[in-house]
Every structure is written in structure tokens, then in C-alpha cells.
């Protein structure tokens, strides 16, 4: 049985009209689903009981439960959320002076297998649907209001999973979130983060995506990149840049390169100079990220001097670069550390 929050508005409309329900009911049901984010068909009080019964017979209503909350001293809060089938994912609220950012997940586990990432160690269970992704925003927005009296300001799709491998449901989520049907969240404040799959970047280009795109580069040669991002063996950095160039020209947007500094692996002056050459090819800015270690990783964080030298080389070459401060590492909520499982719950 399909989850009612995984189907498009058009599919919902087709279902309702096929069973003889007036068209205006589609908007009403859609509003209950997305604007009001109700927890059951029975809460759709202006929908006739007979129609609600038909919906119940044909669709599953999504359930979710927050089963663990961890808070770090810097205010970063991580939630472990469980869905109807026992799938568990993590989402993080990151408060800074100016922003309240939700970092959300799009898959239970991840099939990409990056060797520096805790999520990869979980393997891959399944894609999340648009409703399960949206539920994370609803939960974190409620928390933001409770703790800070303000709504979320930014959404980064940088949690567990590779969003472009769950393209349809991720785009449905982004489109609803930024529309009047959802929270009317500014598309310029929603960032999709990907390892950069040229085929899917082509799709984003064709769809004229209005959302920000961040590309996890993490290495400047194909050889090194394929060692830490196994899925990148299938295409070269050159192919990736070509697809990004086309994306930037068509959408008029710039991209952000994300680069985690790994000690003695990708942090040499030569790596920095190669990075300059790559980032000059397309309109871009660069986020350098300190590595956040976790159990069973064999990588280490680059030391402060190496990090500063690396950034200096980029700055001297007029690359727009900043060191992204990782938050929540004490509760394993920082970049690359998400790996929620029920067994972790105490
Ligand atoms: S870094 Fe991202 S793409 Fe790579 S394994 Fe982790 S979640 Fe997947």
C-alpha cells in the first residue's frame, strides 16, 4: 500500500476523481497532508467519512516517532526518528547566531559508501519518501520554535543518504516545502548536497532546479577521489565539472564545493593548487570542513597549520573560501557522523 505522502498531487487527484469525488476535494486533502501535516485521515474533518474510508482502504498513513534526542553544549540537537517499518534516521538542528538550520536525511543508510563517513558503515536500507523527509522539517521546526521562539531559516539536505539517488521524492519534498502548499520556504535557503552524479546533475539542469547545490568534492584527482568515494569510479572529475558547468550556465546559479580535509590524504599544497584549478572552471565558492572522527574510521583531522596553509593557497588565488565550523561533534551530529540505530538508544 502506498504512503499517502509519497504520491503527487496529480496522482491524488486521479485517485479521487476516479472514485467519483469532486475535484475541489483534492486541494482540501492536499492541505491536510502538507499544510497542516495531520497524523491521520480522521483529522481531515471537512472530508466526508466515505471519502476518508476510501483513502484508508487504499493508502497507508505515515507514522513517525522521535525515539532519542541528544543535545550538545553548542545547542546543536540531534533527533533519532523511527518510521513505520522500523527504519531509523537522524536529523539535526544547528543553531548559530544568525541561522536555525535543519540538516535532514533522505535515505536510511547510504549506498555510496564513502570511506570517511559513518553513515556508509550502516549499509543501505531504503529511500525515504517525501513525507518522511518533510516530517524531519516539521519536527525540527517545532523544536526551533520551542527552544528559540523562531522558525527554521535554512534547510540543508546533508544528512544520511545521497539525495540525487532518491531524486523524485527529494524533489517532491523540496517543491512542496517551497510552495504555498507547504511552508513557502525560500528555495534559496534550501541546499541539496551531493557527491555529484553527472547524470543526475543533468536532470537537475533540465528541471531548472531553483535550489542551491553543494558538491562534495573531497579530492582533486580521480585516483584519490575513487578511494574515498567508491561511487565516483564511474565518472571522472572532468565529467562532473562539465555537467556542473552546464548546470551553472542554464540555471544561472553558482555551486558550493565541500571539501573535508583528511590528514595526509588530501591536504597538501599540491591538492590546494589542484583545487584552485578545478574551482576556477565554474562559478563556485568553497567550504573547507574539518574532519569529524568516529569509531572505526582510519582517517584523522588535518592539523590547524595544514588547514590554514591550505586555505591560504585558495585565498591567494582569489577563491571564495571559508572554513565551515562543524557543530555537534560531541554528540556525533556533525558532518559525516550520522549513523542512528535503535541499538544506540539508552
Ligand atoms: S558522505 Fe554522503 S554520500 Fe557519502 S556515504 Fe556518507 S551519506 Fe552517503
Amino acid at each position: 500500500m502506498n504512503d499517502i505522502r509519497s504520491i503527487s498531487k496529480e496522482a491524488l487527484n486521479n485517485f479521487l476523481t476516479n472514485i467519483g469525488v469532486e475535484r475541489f476535494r483534492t486541494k482540501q486533502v492536499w492541505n491536510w497532508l502538507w499544510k497542516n501535516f495531520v497524523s491521520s485521515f480522521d483529522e481531515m474533518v471537512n472530508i466526508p467519512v466515505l471519502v476518508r474510508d476510501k483513502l484508508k482502504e487504499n493508502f497507508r498513513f505515515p507514522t513517525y516517532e522521535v525515539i532519542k534526542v541528544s543535545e550538545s553544549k553548542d545547542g546543536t540537537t540531534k533527533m533519532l526518528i523511527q518510521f513505520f517499518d522500523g527504519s531509523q534516521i537522524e536529523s539535526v538542528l544547528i543553531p548559530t547566531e544568525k541561522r536555525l538550520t535543519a540538516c535532514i536525511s533522505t535515505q536510511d543508510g547510504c549506498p555510496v559508501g564513502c570511506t570517511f563517513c559513518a553513515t556508509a558503515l550502516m549499509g543501505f536500507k531504503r529511500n525515504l519518501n517525501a513525507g518522511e523527509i518533510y516530517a524531519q522539517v516539521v519536527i525540527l521546526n517545532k523544536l526551533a520554535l520551542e527552544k528559540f521562539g523562531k522558525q527554521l531559516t535554512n534547510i540543508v539536505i546533508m544528512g544520511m543518504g545521497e539525495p540525487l539517488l532518491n531524486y523524485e521524492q527529494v524533489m517532491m519534498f523540496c517543491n512542496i516545502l517551497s510552495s504555498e502548499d507547504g511552508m513557502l520556504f525560500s528555495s534559496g535557503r534550501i541546499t541539496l548536497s551531493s557527491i555529484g552524479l553527472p547524470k543526475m546533475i543533468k536532470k537537475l539542469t533540465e528541471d531548472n532546479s531553483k535550489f542551491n547545490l553543494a558538491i562534495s568534492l573531497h579530492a582533486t584527482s580521480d585516483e584519490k577521489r575513487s578511494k574515498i568515494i567508491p561511487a565516483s569510479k564511474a565518472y571522472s572529475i572532468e565529467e562532473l565539472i562539465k555537467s556542473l558547468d552546464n548546470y551553472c550556465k542554464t540555471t544561472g546559479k553558482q555551486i558550493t564545493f565541500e571539501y573535508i580535509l583528511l590528514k595526509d590524504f588530501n591536504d597538501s599544497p599540491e591538492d590546494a593548487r589542484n583545487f584552485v584549478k578545478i574551482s576556477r572552471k565554474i562559478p563556485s565558492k568553497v567550504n573547507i570542513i574539518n574532519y569529524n572522527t568516529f569509531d572505526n574510521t582510519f582517517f584523522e583531522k588535518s592539523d590547524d597549520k595544514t588547514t590554514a596553509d591550505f586555505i591560504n593557497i585558495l585565498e591567494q588565488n582569489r577563491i571564495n573560501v571559508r572554513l565551515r565550523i562543524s557543530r555537534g561533534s560531541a554528540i556525533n551530529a556533525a558532518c559525516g557522523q550520522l549513523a542512528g540505530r535503535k541499538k544506540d538508544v539508552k
Side-chain angles (χ1 to χ4, degrees), residues 110 112-114 116-117 119-120 159-162 195:
C110 182
V112 174
C114 300
F116 54 85
C117 171
T119 306
M160 293 159 58
E162 163 51 62
I195 58 155

